[in-house]
């Protein structure tokens, strides 16, 4: 039961906490796992069709010390992550943050593709339409966690730091 006077914030945070699935996708080996292996900051790829949200997320992550690649949609994300490219041309990505509802391909579609791809990085799903079924499907498809919009940027940043520490 929520305490009297709860503005709804605790419920939203509780829902985010329930969605945590700290297991990394099978086969994914983050360079962050081995101390001293990497000298440059981790790379976070943000796929969000809303330009203002994409810019805000990029700014917050860069300020925290991450390198950020921004994509307008899932198709652009797939181009960046294209496994058919040689390693020198393919972006090194340590974490994906993707919106669910985007033109062409959804965040859930990306999660499903990620499950089929051995080296796909951990993924955080963000959505304005976070119903129980969406959360369950995201978890079953390997999402590290799901954040319902609007969400607390500090909580997102905390989750990012727990998945790919600086």
């Amino acid at each position: 039961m929520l305490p009297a006077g709860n503005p709804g914030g605790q419920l939203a945070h509780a829902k985010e906490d329930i969605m945590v699935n700290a297991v990394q996708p099978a086969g994914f080996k983050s360079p962050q796992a081995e101390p001293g292996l990497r000298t440059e900051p981790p790379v976070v790829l943000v796929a969000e069709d809303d330009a203002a949200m994409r810019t805000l997320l990029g700014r917050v992550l860069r300020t925290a010390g991450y390198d950020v690649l921004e994509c307008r949609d899932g198709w652009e994300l797939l181009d960046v992550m294209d496994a058919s490219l040689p390693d020198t041309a393919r972006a090194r990505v340590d974490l994906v943050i993707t919106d669910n509802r985007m033109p062409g391909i959804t965040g859930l579609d990306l999660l499903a593709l990620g499950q089929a791809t051995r080296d796909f990085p951990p993924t955080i799903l963000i959505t304005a339409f976070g119903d129980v079924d969406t959360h369950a499907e995201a978890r079953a498809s390997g999402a590290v966690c799901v954040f319902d919009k609007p969400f607390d940027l500090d909580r997102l940043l905390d989750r990012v730091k727990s998945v790919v520490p600086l």
Side-chain angles (χ1 to χ4, degrees):
M1 174 160 45
L2 295 174
N6 176 29
Q10 290 177 347
L11 180 60
H13 292 309
K15 194 185 321 181
E16 290 169 11
D17 290 340
I18 290 169
M19 284 308 300
V20 173
N21 177 0
V23 176
Q24 301 297 343
F28 180 77
K29 291 185 172 120
S30 173
Q32 299 303 85
E34 296 182 43
L37 185 61
R38 174 188 290 166
T39 57
E40 64 273 1
V43 176
V44 179
L45 190 152
V46 175
E48 167 64 69
D49 60 320
D50 180 278
M53 176 63 89
R54 186 175 61 247
T55 300
L56 175 63
L57 291 171
R59 185 176 302 134
V60 166
L61 292 163
R62 284 184 189 95
T63 299
Y66 291 92
D67 283 344
V68 179
L69 300 171
E70 297 180 16
C71 298
R72 294 175 300 234
D73 56 38
W75 294 118
E76 190 173 347
L77 180 149
L78 290 176
D79 287 343
V80 170
M81 299 292 298
D82 190 345
S84 69
L85 296 173
D87 287 341
T88 55
R90 184 174 49 227
R92 174 190 49 82
V93 175
D94 299 298
L95 175 68
V96 172
I97 299 175
T98 183
D99 187 20
N100 186 34
R101 290 195 183 175
M102 297 181 289
I105 186 167
T106 70
L108 289 172
D109 293 337
L110 291 168
L111 282 165
L113 288 170
Q115 277 192 311
T117 305
R118 201 175 131 246
D119 294 327
F120 202 83
T123 302
I124 294 173
L125 186 74
I126 57 177
T127 182
F129 306 95
D131 59 35
V132 173
D133 291 338
T134 299
H135 282 244
E137 185 175 350
R139 185 176 345 145
S141 297
V144 173
C145 62
V146 175
F147 284 88
D148 288 331
K149 296 177 187 177
F151 52 82
D152 182 314
L153 289 169
D154 290 328
R155 288 181 60 82
L156 176 67
L157 189 55
D158 287 345
R159 179 62 62 209
V160 169
K161 288 178 180 178
S162 74
V163 176
V164 283
L166 289 167

